[in-house]
Every structure is written in structure tokens, then in C-alpha cells.
Amino acid sequence: DAHPIYTMSDDDGASSQDSMPSLEDNDEPVAQPEITWVDHKTKGNEEFKQGRYQTAARYYSDAITLNNAEPALFSNRAACNLKVKCYREALDDAKQAIKLDAKFLKAYGRAALAACTLGQFEEGAGYYRTGAQLCSDDATARDLKEGMVHATRAQSAVTAAKAQLDKRDWTGALRTLSPSCEAFPECFALSILRAQARATTNPNGAIAELNAFGHTHSDNPDYLFVRALATYHGSTNGTKNAMLILKQALEFDPENEKCKLLFRKVRALERLREEGNAAFKDKRWEDAVSKYSAAIDEDTSNKFLLGLLCGNRAAARMELKDYQGALRDCNTAIGNNNDAPKIYARRARVNEQPD
């Protein structure tokens, strides 16, 4: 499949040295074919069709080196960058294509998709709108208009979802974001909000959504905040891991209020839990109940920790012969993901006590 311009072959099997005339035989050296920008573009098109997008982009770059006034080269490289998820580069290339030729239709769709994936929905809607106005093909114009509608809705969805998250309306935020996330599945600005909406009630789902952006946004404080939030809610051991993630986020952005508030809450809860465990070990039952109660009051939304802390408090209350309180704690622990056999055994012992 190699292009003859980029390789040399000897059909008769002779070496290139044998097949080429010497300067003694011919005073004129053999002229080599000149590689033009069209050759590079043709090769890039072939590579693109084969799904080798990075290689195709290199050919288009070579062509641009020879001719930086051809809009198709920038538009084609934008298409490659979209395929390999280099959206900033895709947007820059598509915009350059439009700058060179304001009627180059394909560049508008590529610029619009890149902008929206970057969370720049107003800009993306503008490219969709202009492209639709320029388009003479009804089907393509319809697609561009639909893209404009999606971009406009996504902008509104981000604003509405942020307000819902501030009110802890997780279900409402998920409902608001889902259509736009389906329209722009690679958009970090949308996915990070949906992951935050999932973090409390579906932490594993939130982390799964975040994993798609780990290689590109691992130093982003918003990404680290939501990952810490999901980690905190994801298991009984999530507090320590969440604090490590939040420390990393605060190294990147020391003034990030969300990260600072969550770090303080998680640290306070972990400290109270450890103090309760120490009191229980020393048989200071009332102190243990007090510390576990304070930890529970710190955050009742974390089901794993609520189940664990209520189970621990039930054990301390049993030592104080507070059997009704212990029974309530056992039931709450079981209802919040604490299915340890000792919790059921503890509840059974409580039920054996006389009224």
C-alpha cells in the first residue's frame, strides 16, 4: 500500500545502486520526483480512511508546511484531532480553515463539535448556526441546526445543574444533565457535573465516569474534588483516601473552597471515629457513644460510614445496657450497607434481653 513517492522499489530485483546510471554514463543526475503538498494530503487521506489518525495528521502537517493557505488541510487535521480527542487542537485548526475560507462548510461542524466538547457551548452554537446558514444540502443543514439546539441546551443545563447541586438535588441534576451528556459524551464540563451528582448515591458510577478523563484532567481541582467526594462515599475506608486526593487538589489550587470544606469535614469525621474507637478500646463506653454520635452528626449522607458508626455505637450502648438504643443502631447499620455478621449477631443478642 506504500505510496511510490515515499518509497523506492526496483521491479527487476536489482539494487538501487545497480539500476541508477553513474555520473560517468550521464552527466545529468537522475531527477527525483518533487513531493508536493497535494502528495502529502493524498497520503493523509489514505491514512485517515484506514483509521490511522495520528499518522494522517502528520501528513496534513507536512502539507501545511508546504502550503499554509489551503483550508482543507487545516480542516482535515481538525478531523484527525477530533478522532484522537485533541479537542483544543481541533478547534484551532477548524478556526484557521474558516479564517482562510469563510465558506468552508466542513470546518464549521468540526469547530462546533470541538468547542462544545471543550464546554464552550455558546461558541459551538455559533459555528453550528453559521454552518447551517451556509449549507445548501437540506440533510446537512438539519444536522447542523440540531447541533445548535443541543449546544444551546447544554449551556442552560450546566447553569441549572450547578444550582441543583448546590441544593443537593442529585436526582434533578442527573435529569437535567443526561440529554446533554448524551449529545456531547466527551465533554468534561458536563461529565464532571454528572459525576458529582452521582458521587453521594452512586459513588462507583461516579468514579467510572471520571475514569474516562483521568489521563487528561488528573491535575484539575474539580476532577480531584469529585473523585475525592466519590471515594469518600464509596467505602468505609474512603475517608483516608479522600483526604489524600484532596491534599493533591489543594496543592494545585490552595484557595479552592469546595476542596477545603470537604477536607475539613472528612478530617473531623475521621478524627471523631478514631477517638471513638480509642474510647471503646479503653472501655470508656459513654465517651465512645459520644464520639460516635458526633461523627454521625458530622455527615449523615455517607451510608457506608453511617452503617459502620451506628454498628460501633450499638456495641458501646450494649455495654451500657442501653438495649433499645443499641437495637435502633443495629437496624440503622443494617439499613445502610453494614451487612457484617457481627451486626446481625449483636441485634440478636439485643432481642434476647428482657423488656
Side-chain angles (χ1 to χ4, degrees), residues 233-305:
H233 283 278
S235 72
T236 55
N237 297 319
T239 51
K240 292 182 179 179
N241 289 333
M243 284 192 289
L244 290 174
I245 297 170
L246 289 166
K247 284 180 180 179
Q248 184 182 0
L250 289 168
E251 288 177 1
F252 292 117
D253 183 6
E255 301 305 318
N256 190 297
E257 285 300 321
K258 292 190 301 183
C259 290
K260 288 197 291 186
L261 288 172
L262 182 58
F263 181 82
R264 289 170 189 154
K265 180 173 72 172
V266 175
R267 182 177 59 183
L269 194 153
E270 180 63 20
R271 185 187 70 249
L272 289 167
R273 181 173 73 159
E274 290 177 350
E275 290 174 354
N277 290 345
F280 189 93
K281 184 178 181 180
D282 294 340
K283 298 183 179 181
R284 293 182 282 113
W285 314 122
E286 289 183 352
D287 285 346
V289 169
S290 176
K291 295 297 183 181
Y292 289 140
S293 297
I296 290 169
D297 291 341
E298 195 71 31
D299 186 6
T300 58
S301 69
N302 190 319
K303 290 186 176 294
F304 280 107
L305 280 178

Side-chain angles (χ1 to χ4, degrees), residues 49-207:
K49 290 175 183 177
Q50 296 299 318
R52 294 188 286 267
Y53 304 116
Q54 290 178 322
T55 304
R58 286 196 292 270
Y59 281 116
Y60 293 135
S61 295
D62 290 341
I64 289 169
T65 301
L66 298 176
N67 181 5
N68 62 5
E70 174 53 53
L73 298 176
F74 290 96
S75 182
N76 287 2
R77 192 169 66 177
C80 295
N81 283 321
L82 285 172
K83 290 291 187 179
V84 298
K85 302 181 181 181
C86 294
Y87 299 109
R88 174 58 58 191
E89 292 82 354
L91 179 58
D92 289 343
D93 276 341
K95 290 168 72 172
Q96 181 62 23
I98 293 169
K99 182 178 179 181
L100 291 170
D101 183 355
K103 295 183 179 180
F104 200 90
L105 184 60
K106 286 184 178 180
Y108 285 94
R110 290 164 183 170
L113 179 56
C116 289
T117 304
L118 291 168
Q120 300 166 205
F121 301 110
E122 185 175 353
E123 182 179 0
Y127 285 122
Y128 277 127
R129 183 183 302 107
T130 304
Q133 292 170 348
L134 291 172
C135 186
S136 58
D137 178 73
D138 290 343
T140 304
R142 187 164 52 249
D143 290 342
L144 290 167
K145 289 177 181 177
E146 184 178 351
M148 181 185 66
V149 171
H150 285 310
T152 303
R153 287 177 177 171
Q155 181 68 58
S156 299
V158 167
T159 302
K162 286 180 178 178
Q164 290 166 321
L165 290 173
D166 288 341
K167 297 176 182 177
R168 302 175 67 84
D169 181 7
W170 317 129
T171 302
L174 286 172
R175 190 182 306 114
T176 297
L177 291 164
S178 289
S180 294
C181 286
E182 291 177 8
F184 305 109
E186 303 293 335
C187 178
F188 175 75
L190 292 168
S191 292
I192 194 67
L193 293 175
R194 186 165 67 172
Q196 185 177 345
R198 288 174 167 168
T200 300
T201 58
N202 182 12
N204 290 335
I207 289 175

